[in-house]
Amino acid sequence: MTYVSRDTLKPGPVEVAGFDRESDGAEGPTTPAPGGHGHGGGAAGGTMNELLAQFHAFELAEEAKIPEGMDGHEIDSGTGVEPEAGNIDEIADGSEGSPATAGESRYESAGGEPALEVQGHAPEIGDFGGENYEVVFGNDDRVQVGNTTTYPWRTICKLEITAADGARFGCSGAMIGPRTVLTNGHCVFMHDHGGWVRNIRVIPGKNGASEPFGSAVSTFYHSVKGWTESQSSNYDYAVVVLPSNAKLGNTTGWMGLANLSFTSLLGLRVNNSGYPGDKPTGTQWWNANNVLAVTDRRLFYRLDTFGGQSGSPVWRFRDGQRHIVAVHNTGGPVFNGSVRLVKPVFDNLVGWKNQYT
């Protein structure tokens, strides 16, 4: 099933300050891997039927990669190597530090279809208080985050990846728990570079040469067989598990997760922030736009992105709460796209988050 917003047929990018679904909104700085995931934002053309056929055909082609008898979400896990010297819960608990305190889970109805949500947590960190950002306007709609030590920007991670064959890559990710970092499957398992990557250095809130929360090297990852065995972009999601002595999320906090209905997602203004490869090294860039099409497993939009932003979160900001609804993974000349947090994805992520505290 595919839904396309009426905004899809308008030429050019959808303006952030335009359409807003009730209290759903965009947020941004107020003063601010392999896979071909490039910069989008071109004009969309074609009739509604042509667009529907395009999205439906893309999803069906990816779904055809899954062997008969599998659903694609079967968990697969991998380990790398340290660099050389030189039953799923529906509720996720937040954390204020040590000891952890319970967060909140709530159920919301939209268009007759339930939406499962898990709250994130923004710990108070006195040394990094304030919401001051530097606005930088470029030739595209992305805005640099000038202060990455405030929430939610400090939960966004730069990933420095060493593949099994020694090749080096960059991706983005997001803290979703004390030790759990959400990203793409193609950032942890690279079919053209030896499979499970050797190691990943995770740097939350990186800002140029500054690493205000330090970093951690991981050699342990989870993805699903829909990616690791079938290489279907519909299942291109994963988590990086940090070592037990590197609970970076207890300092940075993390955003919540949400499995939203078609009607809740279509036209929804969403946010995205990550570490694109076409900008100064180690700088974080934010963008917001509306969801223009929703399929059974994917979202499509004109958020401006570039290689290196693979694995970055796509989130909703509403009533002061932030929930990740998709993980960005594809780019194209007309639309960019992401893996939607449908129920199996949501369940796997909550399970992994709860497993590593």
Side-chain angles (χ1 to χ4, degrees):
M1 181 179 298
T2 305
Y3 291 88
V4 178
S5 167
R6 69 185 67 183
D7 291 330
T8 302
L9 300 182
K10 297 179 181 178
V14 179
E15 186 178 359
V16 171
F19 178 65
D20 192 4
R21 291 180 67 94
E22 300 178 355
S23 60
D24 297 331
E27 62 175 326
T30 55
T31 73
H37 312 290
H39 180 89
T47 66
M48 181 69 76
N49 285 339
E50 289 171 343
L51 287 165
L52 287 169
Q54 176 185 345
F55 291 125
H56 189 57
F58 178 83
E59 181 158 303
L60 286 179
E62 292 300 306
E63 203 64 24
K65 298 177 180 179
I66 307 302
E68 187 175 354
M70 291 178 57
D71 69 5
H73 294 287
E74 293 86 357
I75 294 172
D76 198 4
S77 304
T79 57
V81 296
E82 294 287 347
E84 296 180 4
N87 306 317
I88 306 297
D89 292 333
E90 300 270 48
I91 298 174
D93 292 334
S95 172
E96 300 252 358
S98 182
T101 55
E104 177 184 52
S105 179
R106 59 194 170 111
Y107 293 82
E108 157 184 291
S109 179
E113 186 174 343
L116 306 177
E117 297 192 338
V118 177
Q119 300 289 84
H121 178 66
E124 295 295 331
I125 303 178
D127 292 342
F128 304 111
E131 293 291 334
N132 299 313
Y133 299 94
E134 177 184 3
V135 176
V136 178
F137 296 100
N139 294 324
D140 56 45
D141 293 330
R142 289 173 296 172
V143 178
Q144 184 176 359
V145 179
N147 183 358
T148 60
T149 63
T150 56
Y151 184 85
W153 319 109
R154 63 183 177 234
T155 71
I156 311 299
C157 303
K158 166 71 172 173
L159 305 186
E160 296 180 349
I161 303 164
T162 302
D165 62 1
R168 302 293 296 274
F169 298 96
C171 278
S172 299
M175 301 299 308
I176 59 170
R179 298 172 53 201
T180 311
V181 182
L182 173 63
T183 190
N184 283 151
H186 75 256
C187 297
V188 305
F189 189 98
M190 300 182 177
H191 291 267
D192 295 333
H193 294 275
W196 295 107
V197 301
R198 187 177 299 174
N199 52 66
I200 300 177
R201 190 163 82 101
V202 177
I203 316 164
K206 184 174 175 62
N207 193 2
S210 175
E211 299 178 2
F213 304 100
S215 66
V217 175
S218 174
T219 60
F220 186 46
Y221 333 102
H222 292 301
S223 187
V224 291
K225 293 183 178 180
W227 175 256
T228 62
E229 294 185 1
S230 303
Q231 201 174 353
S232 168
S233 64
N234 292 344
Y235 302 86
D236 186 12
Y237 68 98
V239 295
V240 178
V241 180
L242 301 182
S244 59
N245 63 350
K247 299 181 180 182
L248 299 181
N250 283 343
T251 301
T252 63
W254 57 83
M255 287 187 277
L257 306 169
N259 164 25
L260 300 183
S261 68
F262 280 98
T263 52
S264 291
L265 288 167
L266 188 62
L268 176 68
R269 180 165 312 155
V270 290
N271 300 269
N272 173 263
S273 197
Y275 290 87
D278 64 330
K279 299 295 186 181
T281 301
T283 56
Q284 186 182 144
W285 294 75
W286 164 88
N287 192 212
N289 216 312
N290 295 341
V291 174
L292 299 180
V294 182
T295 67
D296 288 338
R297 301 192 185 279
R298 302 184 57 75
L299 302 183
F300 295 93
Y301 38 65
R302 291 199 193 108
L303 288 166
D304 291 323
T305 63
F306 201 84
Q309 285 182 256
S310 290
S312 57
V314 176
W315 75 91
R316 179 187 69 173
F317 180 43
R318 191 186 71 174
D319 299 331
Q321 299 293 331
R322 297 163 176 90
H323 293 90
I324 298 171
V325 299
V327 55
H328 176 76
N329 77 324
T330 56
V334 178
F335 295 106
N336 291 329
S338 56
V339 178
R340 191 180 153 198
L341 265 62
V342 292
K343 185 73 164 65
V345 180
F346 176 89
D347 285 349
N348 280 341
L349 295 179
V350 172
W352 291 328
K353 170 190 178 295
N354 290 344
Q355 186 176 352
Y356 304 106
T357 58

